[in-house]
Amino acid sequence: MFDGASNFIEKVDGAFLFTIIVSVFFLVLITVLMLVFVFKYNRKRHPKAVNVHSNVWLEVTWTVIPTILVLIMFWYGWIGYAEMRAIPENSMQVEVTAQMWKWTFKYENGLQTDTLYVPVNKPVKLKMTSRDVNHAFYIPAFRIKKDVYPARDRFAWFQADKIGSYDIACAEYCGLNHSYMYSKIHVLSEQDFNGWLQKK
Amino acid sequence: MSVDVAALSTNGHTSYIDFQGKHKGVLGWLLSTDHKRIGILYLIAILTFFAVGVTIGFFMRLELIAPGKTIMNPQTYNSLFTLHGVIMIFLFVIPGIPAIFGNFFLPILIGAKDVAFPRLNLFSWYLYIFGALLAVLSILLPGGPADTGWTFYIPYSVRTGTNVLLALFAAFVLGFSSILTGLNFVTTVHRLRAPGMGWFKMPLSVWSLYATAWVQILATPIIGITLLLVVIERVFGVGLFDPALGGDPVLYQHLFWIYSHPAVYIMILPAMGVVSEIIPVFAQRTIFGYKFIAYSSIAIALFGSLVWAHHMFTAGMSNTGQFIFSLLTMIVAIPSAIKVFNWTATLYKGSIWVTPPLLYVLAFIFLFSIGGLTGIMQGVLSIDIHVHDTSFIVAHFHYVMFGGTGFGIFAAFHYWFPKMFGRMYNIKTAKAAFWFLFIGFNLLYFPMFIMGWLGMPRRYYDYLPEYQPFHLISTVGSWILIVGLIIMFANLIYALKKGKVTAEKNPWGGETLEWKVDTPPIHENFHTIPIVTERPYEYKNNDLILNQEVK
């Protein structure tokens, strides 16, 4: 995990942490058991094996417990995702256009830029479309990503909670300069943002 | 075929290698309908393409050792990752175990003389070769190799000027090789089992190959049609998928992934079957939970066919779709987990002989667990939004497909080699190769998890400087891995020519039928078709001596 800067960090990183802990637990358990058995029951040390055919209670246990755990992980993931779909009514809208190989942002007052400026602690809604092929709008620091298609709109939203500058990357292969389709999002204080927005 | 291998088994019968049928020499192999010879034909072809795929990977990693251009320009890199995917997936991992070891051993494992449709079997190999040649042609002809990624997403795949059509046709033809093999295996398992071999007396690798075969039959036609539709879209501009013509690009993704997700279960199930074969032998005891493992294979094939849209969580599906596919993705992990627990339990109170096959199987369990657990992470919606299309995904699928199926294939080589060729390889060298492979593999792929979480996207020719330490470790890992591959294959190829000749029927102490036939097997496999009375992996010896069985 690294520091994030949006309202989604808590649920996303929380789900990730929980899943990692459970995963590491089972990985270590299996690995240690494997290694212990291979050493303890090595043919030189344990020349005669014992035929343990099955144990239904064991099978039930190691089916039910993992099922419960994955269902918890599922739920944690679902509520984190549902938040990403619940776009607040009062969001400031920015139109995003993707094309090979750059991003363009257009504000409600008509201002057009190639870097995204937003005010801190205010919900921002992105209305996204592509001029040519598939792209995807990705801000790693905010944990958001959405595919962007031609001839239709896709939406995403976020609320930045830290002033600073963060990378915007394209995350859907789009040809020759896919890896150069970077932009930046600058999170400003509300005052600085309003000041910037006026400069048409 | 001029490999010099011991010709006669202990009782003077001719092996399948020296058998003289209707045709002589090379034609005797190229026109043979003997499932064993066809398995060897696939072995040579598949390993050739594996070598090509590895070489491409080597150059990709070399480019990525530092930001900026290292040895190639972006267009070349984009074509290389496309080819790497197409070759590894369609020419190595999907055919892999079924085409080589399924063909060679399925009939023997069930006590049959051959598969149900031997001529169809040979035809399947020719389809494989034809498809492979089309793929090679797509590289050589003007236009250059496809640069769309192996997923051929529209609209890019109908805009680019590269040889997409040839690549699509190649995959289409290869699909039929897979469908016909699947048909052959399902029929074989249903109709040709030896007397007495009921379903629950079949070896677990047969269960795996059987479940796989159903997916091959039912899922592959969908990708066949879909690829054809992309050809039609590209040539005639119909507008099924292309948004500029009113089509739906997400529809394409659904059709693509409805096959390509079950395809990964085509890849892993046979490898799991190999693991289930090998552990009882080298623990010299019965497998733990036979029925649970058998049913899990069916469950994996079934549930694995219901989760495809977890590849599309950022595409803009409805909330209902996202919910259902995430939930099902979590559920599909459970049967695989059940298998891992049962395999581990099979080591309990065993009498364990650590040989190269067992080493690869133990590595499989570890690497597949990492791959599977990270797969679960990706099934969690909020996590996947962040890691989708990053190198996290690339790490995940290499852990399951390479650490899983790849290591499963290596295990199968080292397990069945003496039976197939009547030669033994150098065990110490095999073990040394294993360690290079295991260490190189983890150095190559584990950093990708970390940098993926940190925001490193996939299919990137160039990257931000902050990711370089991870890329450097990864590239060095690829070199260590390749050294391991070279040692491993050199050891096996050397053994083919100069290895100790053996006619030993059962060098490992296995109890499935292949360890009762001649080494190498005769043309008809069995001198007389066996009558099966026992379950597999009984290891009755253990019970006789201890005079008790822990239930």
Side-chain angles (χ1 to χ4, degrees):
Chain A
M1 268 123 306
F2 69 118
D3 283 319
S6 82
N7 59 316
F8 298 124
I9 303 298
E10 192 197 318
K11 289 220 173 64
V12 173
D13 288 15
F16 191 53
L17 188 62
F18 177 71
T19 319
I20 281 194
I21 290 172
V22 172
S23 299
V24 168
F25 171 77
F26 279 103
L27 182 68
V28 168
L29 177 71
I30 292 290
T31 308
V32 164
L33 280 177
M34 255 192 344
L35 292 173
V36 164
F37 291 163
V38 168
F39 278 109
K40 184 169 174 193
Y41 301 113
N42 196 282
R43 200 161 289 186
K44 291 190 191 94
R45 211 170 284 125
H46 192 252
K48 233 18 189 178
V50 176
N51 281 338
V52 189
H53 275 278
S54 67
N55 181 320
V56 180
W57 284 117
L58 205 50
E59 301 276 2
V60 168
T61 308
W62 68 39
T63 303
V64 168
I65 292 183
T67 303
I68 294 174
L69 287 169
V70 299
L71 289 176
I72 296 175
M73 291 180 216
F74 158 74
W75 185 249
Y76 214 157
W78 167 252
I79 57 175
Y81 176 75
E83 231 177 29
M84 295 177 187
R85 291 292 281 241
I87 304 180
E89 293 265 321
N90 61 331
S91 306
M92 172 189 91
Q93 179 166 289
V94 179
E95 282 175 19
V96 181
T97 305
Q99 66 190 86
M100 287 145 113
W101 292 280
K102 68 176 193 173
W103 300 96
T104 316
F105 306 100
K106 192 158 155 205
Y107 291 79
E108 272 153 343
N109 68 352
L111 176 61
Q112 198 162 290
T113 61
D114 59 11
T115 25
L116 184 56
Y117 286 82
V118 299
V120 72
N121 295 325
K122 284 259 177 305
V124 174
K125 170 180 168 179
L126 304 173
K127 181 174 170 216
M128 307 186 282
T129 191
S130 164
R131 277 229 173 109
D132 40 39
V133 298
N134 299 340
H135 299 274
F137 185 83
Y138 178 35
I139 305 180
F142 289 12
R143 314 289 189 268
I144 62 166
K145 183 184 288 117
K146 200 60 173 274
D147 289 358
V148 179
Y149 296 102
R152 69 250 293 126
D153 288 325
R154 285 291 190 265
F155 297 93
W157 81 279
F158 59 84
Q159 183 166 304
D161 60 17
K162 277 202 196 90
I163 291 174
S165 296
Y166 310 96
D167 293 320
I168 298 171
C170 177
E172 183 60 56
Y173 174 69
C174 54
L176 191 70
N177 289 323
H178 169 54
S179 56
Y180 293 113
M181 201 165 145
Y182 269 99
S183 181
K184 275 264 195 252
I185 175 169
H186 302 289
V187 181
L188 309 175
S189 70
E190 198 174 348
Q191 211 182 354
D192 288 344
F193 175 75
N194 288 331
W196 171 84
L197 192 59
Q198 302 320 321
K199 291 185 261 155
K200 248 222 277 191
Chain B
M1 271 305 278
S2 56
V3 174
D4 184 28
V5 177
L8 301 176
S9 62
T10 40
N11 54 9
H13 284 261
T14 317
S15 77
Y16 76 95
I17 299 172
D18 291 294
F19 176 81
Q20 296 273 25
K22 203 161 79 172
H23 306 279
K24 308 265 184 299
V26 180
L27 273 188
W29 285 80
L30 290 175
L31 296 178
S32 170
T33 57
D34 176 356
H35 65 99
K36 299 181 292 300
R37 288 194 171 184
I38 294 174
I40 301 294
L41 289 176
Y42 270 112
L43 175 69
I44 298 168
I46 289 174
L47 285 186
T48 304
F49 286 103
F50 178 61
V52 174
V54 169
T55 308
I56 296 176
F58 169 75
F59 283 111
M60 283 167 63
R61 278 305 336 156
L62 205 51
E63 171 55 43
L64 293 174
I65 197 174
K69 174 175 172 172
T70 308
I71 52 167
M72 63 182 77
N73 56 39
Q75 183 60 38
T76 308
Y77 181 80
N78 294 341
S79 289
L80 282 189
F81 76 67
T82 302
L83 279 171
H84 178 77
V86 168
I87 290 175
M88 286 303 200
I89 290 172
F90 292 114
L91 293 176
F92 175 60
V93 191
I94 285 179
I97 293 175
I100 302 172
F101 301 104
N103 267 317
F104 200 104
F105 285 105
L106 175 63
I108 300 178
L109 285 163
I110 61 172
K113 283 191 185 167
D114 208 309
V115 293
F117 307 116
R119 280 171 301 188
L120 198 67
N121 205 5
L122 181 65
F123 182 57
S124 298
W125 183 76
Y126 277 100
L127 285 174
Y128 174 92
I129 294 297
F130 184 42
L133 287 177
L134 285 175
V136 169
L137 212 57
S138 79
I139 304 173
L140 302 173
L141 288 183
D147 62 347
T148 56
W150 80 279
T151 46
F152 300 111
Y153 273 19
I154 286 188
Y156 186 74
S157 61
V158 297
R159 302 263 184 276
T160 175
T162 55
N163 289 324
V164 175
L165 286 181
L166 265 177
L168 292 170
F169 273 121
F172 181 74
V173 170
L174 289 164
F176 280 102
S177 177
S178 190
I179 294 170
L180 295 177
T181 300
L183 191 65
N184 224 333
F185 284 6
V186 167
T187 315
T188 304
V189 172
H190 274 275
R191 304 296 289 157
L192 297 186
R193 279 171 285 128
M197 187 178 275
W199 284 85
F200 293 105
K201 290 209 175 70
M202 295 193 318
L204 287 168
S205 59
V206 177
W207 275 99
S208 290
L209 287 167
Y210 178 75
T212 305
W214 274 113
V215 183
Q216 284 172 260
I217 298 171
L218 295 175
T220 317
I222 305 177
I223 193 81
I225 287 285
T226 306
L227 296 177
L228 223 51
L229 289 174
V230 178
V231 169
I232 291 171
E233 187 88 333
R234 202 172 148 87
V235 174
F236 298 112
V238 173
L240 278 165
F241 308 126
D242 186 351
L245 301 167
D248 187 349
V250 178
L251 173 62
Y252 169 77
Q253 293 180 36
H254 278 292
L255 288 172
F256 179 84
W257 288 112
I258 273 187
Y259 164 75
S260 300
H261 189 84
V264 313
Y265 296 104
I266 295 176
M267 298 175 203
I268 198 65
L269 275 171
M272 289 177 159
V274 169
V275 173
S276 297
E277 288 300 329
I278 288 178
I279 296 192
V281 174
F282 296 98
Q284 280 293 290
R285 51 150 284 179
T286 190
I287 190 111
F288 190 94
Y290 171 94
K291 274 200 177 158
F292 285 92
I293 297 182
Y295 285 132
S296 292
S297 299
I298 305 297
I300 290 171
L302 201 62
F303 282 105
S305 305
L306 302 176
V307 299
W308 75 87
H310 65 217
H311 298 266
M312 297 160 56
F313 281 153
T314 59
M317 282 190 296
S318 67
N319 277 355
T320 311
Q322 309 269 140
F323 185 99
I324 291 177
F325 283 108
S326 172
L327 184 60
L328 287 170
T329 301
M330 308 307 277
I331 302 291
V332 82
I334 301 298
S336 294
I338 291 174
K339 286 196 181 197
V340 170
F341 296 134
N342 278 293
W343 291 326
T344 309
T346 305
L347 294 168
Y348 177 70
K349 293 207 171 160
S351 172
I352 299 173
W353 180 20
V354 182
T355 55
L358 189 68
L359 277 176
Y360 283 107
V361 157
L362 295 174
F364 174 102
I365 294 176
F366 179 76
L367 298 173
F368 174 74
S369 293
I370 293 179
L373 290 165
T374 50
I376 291 176
M377 285 180 201
Q378 291 162 195
V380 175
L381 276 167
S382 56
I383 297 178
D384 188 66
I385 298 300
H386 179 58
V387 300
H388 174 71
D389 258 306
T390 67
S391 53
F392 191 98
I393 308 287
V394 177
H396 156 75
F397 66 66
H398 282 96
Y399 266 88
V400 279
M401 290 203 275
F402 192 177
T405 304
F407 274 63
I409 292 179
F410 302 156
F413 278 139
H414 288 87
Y415 179 53
W416 278 315
F417 187 94
K419 176 61 62 176
M420 291 166 83
F421 301 113
R423 298 259 181 176
M424 195 51 200
Y425 51 81
N426 185 305
I427 300 259
K428 277 214 174 83
T429 313
K431 288 186 176 180
F434 167 80
W435 287 109
F436 272 95
L437 283 167
F438 185 76
I439 292 169
F441 180 92
N442 284 293
L443 283 177
L444 168 52
Y445 295 113
F446 202 85
M448 293 186 190
F449 282 127
I450 306 175
M451 64 170 158
W453 177 264
L454 293 176
M456 171 72 209
R458 64 181 287 202
R459 295 178 164 169
Y460 263 38
Y461 160 78
D462 199 357
Y463 54 83
L464 299 174
E466 67 224 48
Y467 298 114
Q468 202 201 347
F470 303 101
H471 278 288
L472 180 57
I473 297 173
S474 179
T475 299
V476 171
S478 77
W479 300 339
I480 298 173
L481 174 77
I482 287 176
V483 168
L485 288 173
I486 292 172
I487 298 175
M488 182 182 75
F489 283 114
N491 189 30
L492 294 174
I493 293 171
Y494 177 85
L496 279 180
K497 297 191 198 283
K498 296 264 175 44
K500 177 163 156 264
V501 171
T502 172
E504 169 62 62
K505 284 187 188 177
N506 195 357
W508 309 121
E511 293 201 342
T512 39
L513 285 173
E514 78 270 39
W515 305 112
K516 296 199 163 56
V517 302
D518 294 312
T519 295
I522 59 172
H523 177 71
E524 307 89 20
N525 303 334
F526 299 92
H527 295 280
T528 41
I529 295 293
I531 296 176
V532 176
T533 49
E534 317 264 281
R535 289 179 303 179
Y537 330 111
E538 283 280 87
Y539 291 96
K540 282 222 158 82
N541 258 340
N542 299 343
D543 307 329
L544 286 171
I545 297 212
L546 286 180
N547 210 36
Q548 61 144 172
E549 184 173 307
V550 179
K551 288 224 188 326

